[in-house]
Amino acid sequence: MYTKLFQKNYDLLRWLYPAVNHMPKSQRFVLGNRMETLGLGILEATIGLTERDSRIVRHRILVRIQQLQTLVRLSKDLSFLSFKQYEHASSILEEMRHLLQTGGGRMDKTFEQICSFRNLESAYRKARKGKRAHPEVAAFELDVELNLLELKRELESQTYRPRPLREFVIRDPKTRRIAVPDFRDRVVHHTICNVIAPHFERSFINDSYANRKNFGTHKALARFNVFKRKASQNNRLVPHALYSAMVSGFCLKADISRYFASIDHRLLMNFISKRIDDPRTIALIQTILKAARPEGKGLPLGNLTSQFFANAYLGQLDDFMKHELRARWYIRYVDDFVILHLSGSVLKQWKREIDTFLISLGLRLHPEKSKVRPLHGGISLLGFRVFPHHRLLKKTTVRTWKRRLSQDSVSQETIRGWVTHARWGNTYRLLQRIGLSSTHRTLGDGNHTEIQE
């Protein structure tokens, strides 16, 4: 607990000094100095806590954290801090407060944090990002404070009930049923994740890349390149290799069959209850799950809470991989994961053990998509096919985007986003063929550009 607390102190001071220096001179020596004094006071008291842990010292730190939170909020209201700066500082201070109150264990007072107006305001800003032109968002914004206060009242009185989901089917290229919640429900989803996500984050391994800040698909692809070199002993060729890319090493590429639809609410809540000790927060999560899937099984695609809990639930698989199988080169992105190893037979044995473990979570591996393959044959990963010395977009991805780009309604922002994603592969000829090569620049490992069609 002390190590985490010192790390948060360091993060706080590293943020605090540049933020104060950018304040107007008239406030830098009044408000800024007071904030700096409180920050150093928290650090000094934390040092005292390591020497003698007592309730008095903890209370002293908590009081100073509360005072600093008030000054940070005031600085934001006076436009001395941006909302992003305010949100960053608030999250650090909240985590420090939680560590002092719980010692980093189960979260036992989450409901008050979820219902706080500051959290509701932050959740509202996140939920509206990029969607302010939508009619339901505009309607909510007409009287935003009244709507947030109404949500706060419903949450505190435990009378909140989610509105029906708007469901539709997409084929891109797989057929998926998407469930879109009402805007006010999206705000509630963000309020929950704002509070509990930092606690769950501490339990995630470094190689879980979905639904996490500063992670994502491109970081996962870069990490796969590192593991690929290690598993192949720096691209060492197999005996009697037929061509220069026939490197050693194997990969178990696996996928969980119908993952979101297979999650059992009872097992999921048992897992969440081990982390959260507040019955009102547990009841709120159960209300959201039951409203979406009354039958008690499955999570709807399109909900923030579904994405978060689906990723967190498989943290148990991560622990099994690291502590039981001791897999060194393992990467997971939600329900897709890869394990690399020098031996194919070891991976086949691990696959059987993983399948057995997943049964305890109410899940199973996809029989067709979970196979052990040699690295030199290319591995399908996150929309790309990764070979020893280059990376290509999958054919299905290329066909889908060619169809989208042919539509008149496609925006320039969408095109730029796709080109940025495509740059992580060797796609110069593809982008040249569709008239986008002038903006092309290979990212990732910097290999020369080619294209498979």
Side-chain angles (χ1 to χ4, degrees):
M1 190 269 287
Y2 299 125
T3 303
K4 293 179 181 177
L5 198 56
F6 272 116
Q7 181 61 49
K8 291 301 169 187
N9 264 287
Y10 173 75
D11 292 342
L12 177 66
L13 292 173
R14 192 174 61 175
W15 167 85
L16 185 59
Y17 282 97
V20 169
N21 286 334
H22 282 88
M23 284 184 174
K25 287 185 178 179
S26 59
Q27 296 298 327
R28 192 182 304 166
F29 300 106
V30 182
L31 192 60
N33 280 358
R34 180 61 179 157
M35 290 169 67
E36 288 177 348
T37 302
L38 283 170
L40 288 171
I42 292 169
L43 178 61
E44 183 182 358
T46 304
I47 294 170
L49 188 68
T50 60
E51 297 170 353
R52 184 184 176 186
D53 195 337
S54 68
R55 291 178 62 185
I56 296 174
V57 178
R58 284 174 181 258
H59 178 70
R60 189 181 301 142
I61 299 173
L62 287 169
V63 169
R64 288 174 179 173
I65 287 174
Q66 189 174 11
Q67 291 172 341
L68 188 54
Q69 283 177 321
T70 303
L71 293 179
V72 168
R73 176 64 184 265
L74 178 62
S75 300
K76 191 267 291 186
D77 290 343
L78 294 173
S79 300
F80 299 149
L81 296 177
S82 67
F83 182 78
K84 190 173 182 180
Q85 288 176 309
Y86 161 71
E87 198 173 50
H88 178 66
S90 295
S91 66
I92 294 173
L93 291 167
E94 281 295 331
E95 286 189 52
M96 291 175 69
R97 188 187 63 79
H98 167 69
L99 282 169
L100 287 164
Q101 290 180 336
T102 67
R106 294 168 72 184
M107 300 182 74
D108 59 352
K109 292 184 179 180
T110 56
F111 196 70
E112 288 82 359
Q113 298 173 50
I114 288 172
C115 298
S116 70
F117 190 81
R118 182 177 64 189
N119 186 39
L120 281 162
E121 183 185 32
S122 170
Y124 152 70
R125 291 176 182 273
K126 288 181 179 179
R128 77 175 185 181
K129 190 175 181 180
K131 299 179 177 68
R132 297 187 73 174
H134 291 202
E136 62 174 349
V137 181
F140 192 92
E141 284 194 309
L142 282 175
D143 205 342
V144 62
E145 287 194 8
L146 187 65
N147 287 324
L148 290 177
L149 287 170
E150 177 63 20
L151 264 181
K152 178 178 170 65
R153 184 192 64 77
E154 290 182 21
L155 289 169
E156 289 177 336
S157 62
Q158 296 184 279
T159 58
Y160 165 75
R161 296 294 179 270
R163 293 177 180 175
L165 298 170
R166 180 169 57 87
E167 300 196 29
F168 57 92
V169 175
I170 63 169
R171 294 174 177 84
D172 189 26
K174 290 196 302 185
T175 300
R176 293 186 177 92
R177 180 174 290 277
I178 306 298
V180 180
D182 189 82
F183 179 72
R184 73 194 302 271
D185 296 327
R186 291 207 297 274
V187 173
V188 174
H189 298 169
H190 277 283
T191 64
I192 295 171
C193 291
N194 281 353
V195 173
I196 69 174
H199 184 73
F200 278 88
E201 178 73 24
R202 291 192 288 271
S203 67
F204 293 155
I205 64 170
N206 286 335
D207 291 313
S208 172
Y209 287 89
N211 307 315
R212 298 176 68 188
K213 190 175 180 180
N214 299 323
F215 283 77
T217 56
H218 299 150
K219 289 284 182 70
L221 287 166
R223 186 66 163 167
F224 183 82
N225 267 0
V226 174
F227 287 169
K228 175 164 56 75
R229 285 194 293 271
K230 291 182 177 181
S232 64
Q233 297 179 320
N234 205 20
N235 294 326
R236 185 177 182 177
L237 298 182
V238 301
H240 312 296
L242 300 178
Y243 50 93
S244 60
M246 202 167 180
V247 300
S248 59
F250 294 84
C251 176
L252 168 59
K253 169 67 173 66
D255 179 79
I256 295 176
S257 180
R258 302 185 71 249
Y259 176 52
F260 278 78
S262 301
I263 296 177
D264 187 285
H265 291 184
R266 181 181 57 83
L267 295 174
L268 176 61
M269 292 311 302
N270 287 343
F271 166 72
I272 294 171
S273 299
K274 293 176 183 177
R275 304 274 181 181
I276 300 172
D277 201 22
D278 192 325
R280 294 167 298 173
T281 302
I282 295 295
L284 175 60
I285 294 170
Q286 286 177 322
T287 298
I288 293 171
L289 294 177
K290 190 173 182 181
R293 295 291 180 264
E295 62 275 14
K297 193 170 186 179
L299 298 178
L301 288 169
N303 282 16
L304 176 66
T305 48
S306 296
Q307 297 168 22
F308 176 76
F309 289 131
N311 189 46
Y313 188 56
L314 280 184
Q316 300 169 98
L317 175 63
D318 299 340
D319 293 339
F320 176 77
M321 292 288 192
K322 292 297 182 181
H323 299 300
E324 299 296 327
L325 299 184
R326 298 192 176 276
R328 294 175 61 193
W329 304 316
Y330 163 72
I331 295 171
R332 181 174 66 82
Y333 193 92
V334 195
D335 61 322
D336 290 335
F337 62 91
V338 291
I339 316 173
L340 290 78
H341 201 276
L342 294 171
S343 169
S345 58
V346 170
L347 290 178
K348 288 176 182 177
Q349 174 60 30
W350 283 0
K351 180 188 172 188
R352 290 190 288 269
E353 294 182 35
I354 292 166
D355 223 349
T356 303
F357 172 77
L358 287 175
I359 291 172
S360 66
L361 303 183
L363 307 169
R364 65 185 184 89
L365 291 177
H366 196 293
E368 300 299 323
K369 297 181 180 179
S370 304
K371 294 182 178 178
V372 176
R373 295 182 172 88
L375 285 174
H376 61 76
I379 307 298
S380 294
L381 182 67
L382 303 174
F384 290 88
R385 191 158 181 83
V386 185
F387 293 89
H389 303 299
H390 62 288
R391 189 161 54 215
L392 307 176
L393 278 170
K394 290 172 67 175
K395 292 180 181 180
T396 52
T397 306
V398 173
R399 283 196 294 268
T400 299
W401 277 100
K402 277 187 174 181
R403 186 173 67 249
R404 283 189 184 180
L405 293 171
S406 66
Q407 299 172 359
D408 294 334
S409 58
V410 66
S411 66
Q412 288 298 314
E413 187 178 354
T414 302
I415 294 172
R416 282 195 298 270
W418 183 79
V419 170
T420 301
H421 178 67
R423 286 173 180 169
W424 282 81
N426 305 95
T427 53
Y428 178 78
R429 292 182 188 176
L430 169 66
L431 294 174
Q432 188 179 49
R433 202 164 293 166
I434 57 181
L436 298 172
S437 61
S438 61
T439 60
H440 181 271
R441 179 171 56 88
T442 302
L443 301 178
D445 53 12
N447 289 332
H448 66 282
T449 53
E450 293 294 338
I451 181 63
Q452 172 186 349
E453 286 215 74

